[in-house]
Amino acid sequence: MPRPKSSFDRLRPFQFRQPDEVLDPDTMYTVYEIARLLQGLDPDTELDVETESILLDWAIPWLVKNSDALCFGDPASDDEPGHYGLLD
């Protein structure tokens, strides 16, 4: 439900971190792992489904915005996610 701006204690600019600030250049990550990294979590952190869904809401636009700096590795099988990493 929408809320008035005055109901927030603090408002700050909406900013995305740069890919090289989040990802190791020699590692490929799933979107789920990137979602965790964007929140400062270890990529292997266990999360409940609801929290993971919220984090994905942040990660997917970040991937799209930074697509020119990223590469994609095909999934090993049809039931696994692909992996993303920094372009060389």
Side-chain angles (χ1 to χ4, degrees):
M1 175 173 287
R3 291 173 49 189
K5 281 184 178 181
S6 60
S7 71
F8 294 89
D9 292 333
R10 175 174 80 133
L11 297 174
R12 53 195 168 110
F14 185 73
Q15 297 176 332
F16 285 111
R17 293 168 57 196
Q18 294 299 311
D20 61 354
E21 296 173 330
V22 179
L23 306 177
D24 180 300
D26 297 321
T27 305
M28 298 288 283
Y29 304 90
T30 67
V31 67
Y32 305 101
E33 294 164 337
I34 291 171
R36 289 168 175 78
L37 290 168
L38 287 169
Q39 298 300 316
L41 301 172
D42 185 272
D44 296 324
T45 301
E46 290 291 325
L47 299 172
D48 60 74
V49 174
E50 294 82 16
T51 301
E52 188 159 67
S53 293
I54 291 168
L55 296 186
L56 286 175
D57 286 346
W58 288 86
I60 293 169
W62 184 87
L63 286 166
V64 172
K65 180 184 183 323
N66 292 294
S67 62
D68 58 338
L70 302 172
C71 61
F72 177 75
D74 289 327
S77 66
D78 289 341
D79 61 342
E80 292 184 26
H83 286 74
Y84 302 85
L86 296 172
L87 282 174
D88 290 331

